[in-house]
Amino acid sequence: MDEETLSHAFEPFFTTKAPGRGTGLGLATAYGIVRQSGGAIAILSERGKGTTARIYLPLKESTLGAEAKKTVRRRPWPGAETILLVEDDARVRKLIAGLLKTRVTT
């Protein structure tokens, strides 16, 4: 996205798609949810190369009782995080998911 488009990315009903192809509510909704959760969202975009949305959410303290906390197992290894992949084109989503799985297992 160019800077002008990027400056409007989180505005409700802003879209670069043709009429009938989108409502322009996706990023505005994501922004609202992330901000209400105490987080932040950043869009990194380079024209002709692609766009990345990064979502930062605060760590939430557990509300489990002391007894339940004893049974919670923590993952002892780094790199066991969950990746949320969002892509509306099924072919691109499948390709990226395959690449991520290859990187994770090798």
Side-chain angles (χ1 to χ4, degrees), residues 13 18 22 40 61 85 87:
F13 306 109
E61 289 295 321
L85 172 60
E87 171 55 56

Side-chain angles (χ1 to χ4, degrees), residues 28-41:
T29 301
Y31 179 83
I33 292 168
V34 169
R35 295 295 294 169
Q36 286 178 353
S37 300
I41 184 169

Side-chain angles (χ1 to χ4, degrees), residues 54-74:
R54 290 191 175 163
I55 297 174
Y56 304 93
L57 296 171
L59 187 62
K60 178 159 174 26
E61 289 295 321
S62 175
T63 57
L64 298 174
E67 199 57 37
K69 285 183 181 179
K70 291 179 184 175
T71 62
V72 175
R73 276 184 22 156
R74 302 223 186 266

Side-chain angles (χ1 to χ4, degrees), residues 1 4 10 17-18 20 26-27 29 33-35 37 39 45 49 54 59 75-76 79 82 91 94 98 102 105:
M1 290 185 265
E4 176 65 20
F10 296 117
K17 295 180 181 177
L27 283 176
T29 301
I33 292 168
V34 169
R35 295 295 294 169
S37 300
S45 186
K49 294 198 176 181
R54 290 191 175 163
L59 187 62
R75 295 181 195 163
T82 299
R91 294 175 298 167
K94 185 175 179 180
T102 302
T105 58

